Amino acid sequence: MIRRREVSPVELLEAHVAQIEAVNPSLNAVIARRYEAARQEARAAEQQVMAAAEPDALPPLLGLPYSAKEYIMAEGMPLTAGVWSRRNARADRDATTIRRLREAGAILVAITNVPEGGLWLETYNDVYGRTVNPWSVEHTAGGSSGGEGAIVAAGGVAFGLGADVGGSIRIPAAFCGTVGHKPTGRLVPNTG
């Protein structure tokens, strides 16, 4: 729809921001917002769409809002791993995955909650609290990408970026009723 100019990246972003703001108070999935930077990127994406002579030549994810779990470095955003002693830690650069998604045109909107140290099957930590399941707030969203599973299932973003060693994408996806994919080992870089 963006390529066909049926919806602008700005409109798409604002719809997702509104949804995050509507659902997050009960879910506690999003722990850091990046709205102003995302709005600037959406305006730039809109200009790129309007100037494109050939829409198929546009970046493949142009204008799609997404979120990333807090373990993945996004410059200036929290990087606590849900550990109290790291509560003031911020990323000083982007992870390779964040950089690649930006180059593909995706727009990072928010950072999502994780369990302390990534070690649990539920998303809870002393820094940000508990993330709950969007279908029943009495149940867990899973972990360790529980914030991702919850906000994706609630329609807050078009997709989410997680990380998975022992089920950290797949478990929250199953608990929240979304699709999660763990790529083949070493296919996606872990840098950052």
Side-chain angles (χ1 to χ4, degrees):
M1 291 175 71
I2 289 173
R3 289 176 192 285
R4 292 190 305 263
R5 299 178 181 159
E6 294 172 11
V7 65
S8 81
V10 173
E11 292 169 331
L12 187 61
L13 174 66
E14 292 303 335
H16 282 92
V17 165
Q19 183 65 5
I20 290 170
E21 292 303 304
V23 301
N24 199 59
S26 63
L27 299 180
N28 192 39
V30 168
I31 54 95
R33 292 149 177 82
R34 196 178 165 275
Y35 294 163
E36 290 314 309
R39 286 180 171 117
Q40 290 176 4
E41 292 167 15
R43 287 189 293 271
E46 184 173 276
Q47 291 173 352
Q48 197 173 353
V49 169
M50 297 310 288
E54 183 53 54
D56 289 337
L58 291 168
L61 302 177
L62 187 65
L64 289 181
Y66 78 100
S67 56
K69 78 188 283 184
E70 202 234 17
Y71 297 133
I72 301 169
M73 294 175 78
E75 187 174 358
M77 301 306 287
L79 193 64
T80 71
V83 176
W84 184 256
S85 63
R86 292 181 48 86
R87 66 189 174 277
N88 296 317
R90 299 275 177 184
D92 62 359
R93 65 185 186 282
D94 287 339
T96 302
T97 50
I98 298 287
R99 180 182 49 78
R100 287 181 178 178
L101 284 169
R102 181 178 292 113
E103 290 167 358
I107 298 172
L108 180 62
V109 178
I111 302 297
T112 57
N113 204 11
V114 295
E116 184 179 18
L119 301 173
W120 314 109
L121 296 180
E122 68 174 335
T123 296
Y124 168 80
N125 64 68
D126 287 337
V127 180
Y128 300 111
R130 182 178 316 282
T131 296
V132 297
N133 192 297
W135 301 104
S136 170
V137 296
E138 296 176 4
H139 293 88
T140 182
S144 70
S145 301
E148 285 304 312
I151 203 63
V152 169
V157 288
F159 70 95
L161 180 61
D164 187 322
V165 173
S168 291
I169 290 173
R170 297 163 288 161
I171 292 168
F175 283 15
C176 295
T178 64
V179 174
H181 174 69
K182 176 185 177 180
T184 301
R186 297 185 188 87
L187 187 63
V188 177
N190 287 328
T191 49

